[in-house]
Amino acid sequence: MHGTGESVCRFRQKKGTGRRRTAWKDGNMLEEYYGELKKNQNPRENLSLLRSAVRDREARAALREQNGIQELLCGFLTHDDPKVRRNAALLIGDLELDGAAAALYEAYRKEETLFVRSAYPAALLRLDIGDYFDALKEHRNTLAARRTTEEERKHVAEELRELDRLITEVEGITHHTFTRFQKEHTFVLTTNREQRQVTIDEAAELSKELGKTAEQHPLGVRVRTKNMNTLTLLRTCREILLLLPAPEGIGSNPSAAAAAVWKAGVLKLLEECHDPAGAFYYRLEVKNTMELNERARFAKRFAAELARISGQRLINSVREYEVEIRLIEKKEGGYAAFIKLLTVPMRRFAYRKHALPVSVHPAAAAMFMMLAEPYLKEDAMVLDPFCGVGTMLIERDIRVPAGDKYGIDTFGDAVRMARENAAAAGEQINFINRDYFDFRHDELFDEIVTDMPMRGKKTKEEQDALYERFFDKSAQILAPGGVIVMYSNESGFVKKQLRLREDYRLLEEYCIREKTGFFLFVIQYQ
């Protein structure tokens, strides 16, 4: 075989059950298996081996270059062994052999073995199918309307799933516009568990009616309303989840769980608040204690059953979707079901164009500022000495309008991101790429608000020294009576400095994450 060498992966022999088991490692082995395939030797095995091989980009290119590869694979589409037909179809798709589309479509039309049929639309998805798209779409609709036996159900669901992927790739999904809810529903606002009262108070600020229904929930705060627009104004919650009512419960069996979600009126609820009519594509998230593979099987069976009983009006998609269905396992067994509407514009944190892995979430920053609000002053001069992408300063100014604002960080990219975030928020903030301990300013600051740096690879002694330097430096730039609003998981080092120094006084201490030791401190410089 030409054009293959050591740079192309190679197959490595493994001892197995008598059948040759391989892992991709050498171009010489690619030549061997392709040569055997041309002689019609062990076609099922060699097609499978080549499918594994072409996961490598160079191997895929090398196999596509072989003279007669398309004719050879098309010939196997009529083989007596259904697994040979399946592997040949999938390999044609892997290699993106557009010239094989006609043969692949014709083989699909004639295929009678159920477990093979899904391979054809899976392969056609990667080819130019303009001549066959309308026929494939018509077949999909006919198949979806057909009554199936219990024995057929699994394979028909798989075929429909691949057809839906193909159709979505060509047409995209039917995009829906959120309108409004016609009646009250129960929503769960996911928020900090230790400080759920903050979100309850914020809900009461926004709407007296909303505040009357707000109460604590294991995931945050539960409210009842039909005014989704009001909910989108809440800044201290991360997500807004619509609780799907299921009085009879949602069991642990995936098919039964899908039936319970359907019975709870998931489609009716989506249709109530959207235009136009049409199928809804959704992402499924399952949170349980299962191993990853077991959870994936659960999700696959759930999605297949929900598609079947909904008449393909609820379609699971990992690439393009407008709704998320979330199943969360309950301690007593079974699941609670929620819907996250991605069709609802969420502009509250639209300014956050950039973030870093260590960046504080804007909902958390908003919660910190609401907790600290009694100690924040209008028109205050505010500094964040470890500003990152600027979230703390932006949320500080949104909660209580400040005067001059400064953000400092040693990481240049973070400062660039902070500037862009602030511009998107319409905020005037002075960002400086500098070490806080080298920073000088002619005027004293009224407030320091900051998310303290994590210890990371620093030793305990190094982190202790950082906090000592921070309190020393802050005493130099804070005005008398100035306030520090500090988010930290180093309570011991904070308390140590407060014991050692008489010029600082702890005003408030709020537990944010008990398990990981994160607290919000409000400290006054005297």
Side-chain angles (χ1 to χ4, degrees), residues 235-299:
R235 304 191 72 81
T236 62
C237 69
R238 294 196 177 211
E239 295 180 295
I240 302 169
L241 303 178
L242 176 55
L243 178 64
L244 195 61
E248 298 177 12
I250 298 172
S252 299
N253 176 277
S255 296
V261 167
W262 173 253
K263 188 175 180 181
V266 57
L267 182 61
K268 183 178 179 181
L269 193 152
L270 292 173
E271 290 177 337
E272 173 192 338
C273 58
H274 289 96
D275 283 331
F280 284 85
Y281 286 77
Y282 70 92
R283 174 183 180 270
L284 176 63
E285 182 174 348
V286 181
K287 293 189 174 184
N288 58 24
T289 56
M290 294 178 181
E291 295 293 331
L292 187 60
N293 289 342
E294 187 180 1
R295 188 183 305 131
R297 286 194 295 272
F298 177 100

Side-chain angles (χ1 to χ4, degrees), residues 96 161 260 268 318:
E96 299 182 5
R161 186 174 71 88
K268 183 178 179 181
V318 297

Side-chain angles (χ1 to χ4, degrees), residues 277-432:
F280 284 85
Y281 286 77
Y282 70 92
R283 174 183 180 270
L284 176 63
E285 182 174 348
V286 181
K287 293 189 174 184
N288 58 24
T289 56
M290 294 178 181
E291 295 293 331
L292 187 60
N293 289 342
E294 187 180 1
R295 188 183 305 131
R297 286 194 295 272
F298 177 100
K300 189 175 181 180
R301 288 179 59 193
F302 175 95
E305 181 64 11
L306 190 56
R308 185 190 70 82
I309 58 182
S310 70
Q312 302 298 311
R313 288 176 291 171
L314 290 169
I315 302 170
N316 184 222
S317 173
V318 297
R319 298 188 62 183
E320 194 172 4
Y321 47 85
E322 295 183 307
V323 174
E324 180 181 302
I325 296 178
R326 188 176 302 178
L327 301 179
I328 301 178
E329 190 173 41
K330 299 191 291 187
K331 288 183 179 180
E332 63 270 24
Y335 292 89
F338 302 89
I339 299 171
K340 183 176 180 180
L341 300 176
L342 306 178
T343 51
V344 178
M346 299 292 286
R347 301 186 179 91
R348 55 193 181 143
F349 304 130
Y351 68 81
R352 205 175 194 230
K353 307 299 182 183
H354 305 285
L356 295 168
V358 295
S359 298
V360 65
H361 193 282
M367 177 189 67
F368 301 158
M369 297 310 146
M370 191 166 173
L371 285 168
E373 184 174 7
Y375 305 98
L376 306 180
K377 297 191 307 182
E378 285 194 20
D379 298 322
M381 192 167 180
V382 184
L383 169 70
D384 185 344
F386 312 105
C387 68
V389 299
T391 308
M392 291 281 278
L393 282 169
I394 293 171
E395 291 299 327
R396 160 63 182 84
D397 197 48
I398 289 173
R399 189 66 201 177
V400 178
D404 291 341
K405 300 171 287 294
Y406 288 78
I408 303 171
D409 206 289
T410 57
F411 185 35
D413 284 348
V415 171
R416 175 184 57 78
M417 295 175 186
R419 287 171 180 155
E420 293 182 19
N421 285 346
E427 293 280 345
Q428 295 292 325
I429 303 175
N430 303 292
F431 290 104
I432 304 169

Side-chain angles (χ1 to χ4, degrees), residues 74 356 444:
C74 287
L356 295 168
L444 297 177

Side-chain angles (χ1 to χ4, degrees), residues 426-454:
E427 293 280 345
Q428 295 292 325
I429 303 175
N430 303 292
F431 290 104
I432 304 169
N433 183 195
R434 188 174 299 173
D435 190 317
Y436 174 48
F437 303 110
D438 297 329
F439 175 68
R440 299 289 184 272
H441 198 268
D442 293 337
E443 298 180 65
L444 297 177
F445 288 86
D446 300 302
E447 297 170 16
I448 291 175
V449 296
T450 195
D451 175 10
M452 289 294 286
M454 297 284 286

Side-chain angles (χ1 to χ4, degrees), residues 190-200 216-221 367-368 371 487 509-520:
T190 65
T191 189
N192 180 271
R193 294 187 184 186
E194 278 79 10
Q195 297 295 335
R196 286 174 283 194
Q197 187 60 43
V198 174
T199 302
I200 292 175
Q216 294 192 8
H217 182 275
L219 296 179
V221 173
M367 177 189 67
F368 301 158
L371 285 168
Y487 179 52
E509 177 183 351
Y510 300 100
C511 177
I512 305 301
R513 284 189 280 167
E514 186 175 8
K515 286 186 178 180
T516 50
F518 277 90
F519 287 81
L520 183 73

